[in-house]
Amino acid sequence: MAESLEAWTDFNVAMVGATAALAGLLIVAMSVNISAIVASPALPARAAASIGTLTLAIVVGAIGLVPGQPGWAHGLEVLVALVVVLALEVHAVRLITAESGRKPSERAAKILSGALPLGPFVVGAALLLVGAPAAGLAWLAVGCVLAIVGGILFSWVALVEVLR
């Protein structure tokens, strides 16, 4: 596993830095329109899930930098962090589906943008647990990139769409 992780060091360092910066910017973006965000039934939960997903990407990148850990431990660590974020996402999905006045396609897009990044993290952690580190780390990388995309999309919502 050490050789596999070593190959991902630069990626993990870049992801931790970029994702941490984006998470901070998202929090600042939310503070600009906080009254509009908290007035919405689903936006606070979506914000929590988005920050949770970015935090998951930070955690995944950071634990990928821990030297000498076995693959199963890395997979288990990802799963533990993932459970918390999944709980946040499930709560957001419940509130999104309860929204009235929205087209089903709009609700589906909101759900997909929040939930999509979590799938690769599940697959990656499972592959690490079963002893397939190369594939597992690649899936975790996909999850990290999708977390950034989702974070950027929600930043747009928190800054612009909330005011429409």
Side-chain angles (χ1 to χ4, degrees), residues 119-144:
F121 286 119
V122 172
V123 173
L127 288 168
L128 288 173
L129 284 170
V130 299
L137 294 171
W139 277 97
L140 293 180
V142 170
C144 287

Side-chain angles (χ1 to χ4, degrees), residues 16-39:
V16 168
T19 310
L22 180 57
L25 288 173
L26 176 56
I27 291 169
V28 170
M30 290 178 356
S31 71
V32 170
N33 294 321
I34 194 67
S35 58
I37 291 170
V38 296

